[in-house]
Amino acid sequence: MIPTIGQAIITTVAYADIFCYPLSAGEIWQRMVRRRTSHAETDRMLGKMSGRTSKNTWYVLPDHSKFAQRRRNYEKESEEKYRNAVRVAKWYACIPSVQFVGISGSLAIGNAGSNDDIDLFFIVSDGTLWISRVCIILLTELVSNRRRFGDLKVGDRICLNMFVTQSGMHIVPDMQNLYIAHEVMQMKPLWQRNTIYNNFLRANAWVRYFLPNAWEEKIKTQNPKPKTQNTDFLIFFLRLLEPFAKMVQVLYMRRHRTSETVTDTVLAFHPHDNTGYVRRELEIRLKKYNIPLDNIFSFRLK
């Protein structure tokens, strides 16, 4: 089922509501769930539904107007975190196997509070997953404050929560849902080699099923500036160290394994998996408007 424009708008606002995040008209168009629309169509429907057409209006679910002030406060909190992330990301260029560094999570949309950490996402060269993580950890320890396992105070700390290789950029079908689609589209590139970010987006073209406007706009605005430095020899050397780096880290991780994802191409460290929570919260909100969740959150109702 493809939702009507009205249903798509409600779904889009309801999804953002889970994160206490009001949206402007332009943001509703950009984040429109499961429906491709024009700006004009979106604005007309918003006018009919709310009676307001101001470009300065924040749209929220009923009784949640307080979220507007929260967003303004969090945007200010996020500014310093973002500057810190940019500063740290420049150092990762020293590691030849690091191909991409991006901000993920709440900070990517300026919705991070003072107690939130800084989530970073890495794409690394094939065959260097474990040794790249070692290098990234050591460098982060030198230039910033890294979030460690068991930390209770994580505000402003760098969280190295996801590493993928170039051959592992495609998100597996079991993880292809509305929540992950938002995470992909919201990511903010900080540094990259060549056209790796564009390759990442195209490897995850399934996202346009959930967020067609966001997908097309993101692809259209990509204008990467290739960096041509040759690091093949250094990457070859790192690959020689990969088996040892993997052995040491796997032995260490056995004491702390929880909900991590560990494969030959992906290392994901998630203190909390939000997918189930977000799905349940969205279903609760949509039921109030008689909007079924079928084919909205995932490709099939689960």
Side-chain angles (χ1 to χ4, degrees):
M1 181 200 77
I2 298 178
T4 66
I5 295 180
Q7 289 175 327
I9 288 174
I10 292 172
T11 302
T12 302
V13 175
Y15 184 92
D17 184 82
I18 299 170
F19 304 93
C20 309
Y21 195 72
L23 300 175
S24 67
E27 289 169 338
I28 290 174
W29 171 83
Q30 182 186 55
R31 298 159 180 257
M32 191 75 74
V33 175
R34 286 285 288 117
R35 187 166 187 105
R36 183 179 177 182
T37 63
S38 68
H39 283 285
E41 288 176 316
T42 304
D43 289 344
R44 281 196 298 269
M45 183 56 69
L46 281 171
K48 291 179 181 179
M49 296 172 68
S50 68
R52 298 174 295 173
T53 57
S54 171
K55 293 183 178 179
N56 297 321
T57 296
W58 294 115
Y59 293 91
V60 296
L61 294 184
D63 302 322
H64 285 176
S65 58
K66 61 183 179 181
F67 288 169
Q69 184 58 50
R70 180 187 183 277
R71 174 169 174 173
R72 285 189 284 268
N73 293 339
Y74 273 39
E75 284 177 341
K76 291 179 181 179
E77 295 279 1
S78 297
E79 288 175 1
E80 181 59 33
K81 293 178 187 289
Y82 187 83
R83 284 193 290 269
N84 186 29
V86 171
R87 177 186 64 82
V88 174
K90 292 178 181 178
W91 286 97
Y92 296 127
C94 299
I95 304 173
S97 57
V98 173
Q99 303 296 318
F100 173 86
V101 186
I103 295 177
S104 61
S106 58
L107 181 57
I109 57 171
N111 195 35
S114 58
N115 296 323
D116 291 324
D117 58 11
I118 299 170
D119 292 320
L120 295 185
F121 173 91
F122 296 87
I123 299 174
V124 301
S125 301
D126 288 335
T128 70
L129 184 63
W130 295 92
I131 189 62
S132 293
R133 180 172 181 261
V134 170
C135 295
I136 290 166
I137 288 174
L138 293 175
L139 185 56
T140 306
E141 293 284 1
L142 289 173
V143 302
S144 188
N145 294 318
R146 180 175 69 91
R147 178 175 179 174
R148 298 177 179 83
F149 179 83
D151 280 349
L152 298 178
K153 295 182 179 181
V154 300
D156 297 328
R157 290 185 176 271
I158 301 295
C159 182
L160 310 173
N161 68 345
M162 191 160 185
F163 307 79
V164 303
T165 64
Q166 288 173 276
S167 61
M169 292 190 295
H170 175 70
I171 294 170
V172 297
D174 284 349
M175 295 179 64
Q176 294 176 8
N177 55 58
L178 182 60
Y179 172 67
I180 300 300
H182 272 95
E183 292 295 296
V184 170
M185 286 291 95
Q186 291 170 179
M187 188 183 300
K188 289 287 188 297
L190 294 176
W191 185 88
Q192 66 173 313
R193 298 185 200 272
N194 304 313
T195 60
I196 192 68
Y197 179 59
N198 189 54
N199 296 344
F200 169 74
L201 291 175
R202 294 188 181 280
N204 292 289
W206 59 268
V207 168
R208 62 185 168 192
Y209 172 88
F210 296 101
L211 302 170
N213 290 345
W215 166 262
E216 292 191 9
E217 183 182 44
K218 182 78 76 170
I219 290 295
K220 183 173 61 177
T221 57
Q222 285 306 300
N223 185 26
K225 297 178 180 179
K227 298 183 179 182
T228 58
Q229 62 265 40
N230 191 327
T231 59
D232 290 348
F233 175 76
L234 295 173
I235 292 173
F236 172 78
F237 177 73
L238 289 174
R239 285 178 177 141
L240 296 178
L241 301 175
E242 176 73 356
F244 179 72
K246 178 180 180 179
M247 179 186 69
V248 171
Q249 290 176 82
V250 168
L251 288 173
Y252 176 80
M253 287 167 54
R254 284 179 181 173
R255 294 180 293 169
H256 305 296
R257 284 296 298 271
T258 54
S259 59
E260 296 87 355
T261 299
V262 179
T263 72
D264 291 335
T265 58
V266 177
L267 291 175
F269 303 90
H270 303 296
H272 306 287
D273 183 2
N274 288 324
T275 302
Y277 167 78
V278 171
R279 186 185 185 282
R280 289 191 298 273
E281 290 297 312
L282 182 60
E283 186 172 24
I284 290 170
R285 286 161 174 78
L286 295 186
K287 277 185 177 179
K288 297 177 181 179
Y289 299 92
N290 296 316
I291 300 175
L293 199 63
D294 190 16
N295 293 330
I296 286 181
F297 192 83
S298 57
F299 289 108
R300 57 190 180 279
L301 188 61
K302 295 183 178 180

